[in-house]
Amino acid sequence: MGDGIKLKKYLDEKGTNVRQIAKATGISATTLYTIIQKDSNIRFDFALRLANELEIDVNEICSAVPFSGELKEEEIYPTLPNGLNGALDSSRVKTYLKNSMYPLMHLFGKNSMPDVDNLLTSFYQLDDEARKEVVETIQFKLQYHKDPERAEQIKQIKGW
């Protein structure tokens, strides 16, 4: 049984359909129909959103969960062609994910990662001025509201 069949099973169990879950997660209905019809794997970022909305563990619908060690490098980030100076190549991405993002995901908890994904997506869409304001706001908030225990956990992540 592939990810698509598992997704369909949970949609049926939860009494929802592709259109409703597409609207709730921001994943196109066409993409979800294709996953179900072809019984193909679900991208981890999509699986996080779906699992959060369906209130299930992401492992239930995603065979390529980073925590299981089954995610292949090319599924995470395709290799960029040579000549893109300063761009992340697959080796750098793999190292970054292994040393930084996976430990951070572990601290956040896999079920809260859709929120982080949405924050990053929203941040990316802002213009330069707005991104600068967000960074300044976070720096200001950290002066007065930093959780010492969480700050210490972050320091334990290599490179942070």
Side-chain angles (χ1 to χ4, degrees), residues 53-76:
E53 189 63 32
L54 294 169
E55 297 179 340
I56 60 172
D57 188 290
V58 70
N59 292 295
E60 299 296 322
I61 58 167
C62 184
S63 59
V65 176
F67 302 109
S68 70
E70 296 174 13
L71 189 64
K72 295 181 179 87
E73 182 177 333
E74 58 272 10
E75 293 174 307
I76 299 169

Side-chain angles (χ1 to χ4, degrees), residues 27 42-52 58 61-62 114:
I27 302 168
I42 300 173
R43 282 182 16 194
F44 184 63
D45 58 323
F46 286 176
L48 284 170
R49 293 185 211 171
L50 292 163
N52 189 49
V58 70
I61 58 167
C62 184

Side-chain angles (χ1 to χ4, degrees), residues 98-113:
K98 178 183 171 193
N99 295 333
S100 298
M101 291 310 294
Y102 290 168
L104 186 61
M105 289 167 67
H106 180 73
L107 289 175
F108 264 101
K110 58 189 170 198
N111 291 329
S112 64
M113 289 313 294

